[in-house]
Amino acid sequence: MKELSWEEWKALEQKGEPFALLDVREAAERDAYNIGGIWIPLGEIMQRYTEIPQDVPVIVYCRKGIRSGIAIQRLEARFGWTHLFNLKGGLRVPSL
């Protein structure tokens, strides 16, 4: 599984590189802190996979990086996707 650190993601953002964010957290977590992107909770990921962009890299995130990793594993196994990146460590980073 490919991963990006918080710093690598921010560098992509600053360069203006195209990418999409995919939040796989639950509603209460998203309400508490939101960095944007498409919101599909992990439990719905396989039913709503058509909402995930195919034309740009997708950075998948959750609170710790575990659920996002599970989402990526499921999508890669089912569809063979190679454009997904796990936000390493999730949103639990010192800068927050």
Side-chain angles (χ1 to χ4, degrees), residues 2-23 25 30 33-38 56-63 83-96:
K2 297 177 282 189
E3 293 188 313
L4 284 176
S5 69
W6 182 269
E7 295 78 19
E8 290 169 321
W9 165 55
K10 289 310 228 177
L12 282 177
E13 190 174 53
Q14 285 183 338
K15 290 179 186 176
E17 297 285 335
F19 65 86
L21 291 173
L22 173 58
D23 182 353
R25 299 173 301 152
R30 186 165 172 92
Y33 185 75
N34 180 2
I35 62 171
I38 302 161
V56 295
V58 177
I59 301 169
V60 186
Y61 71 93
C62 64
R63 183 169 175 246
H83 68 294
L84 306 173
F85 295 82
N86 192 24
L87 184 59
K88 187 175 181 181
L91 296 180
R92 289 184 46 187
V93 294
S95 61
L96 293 178

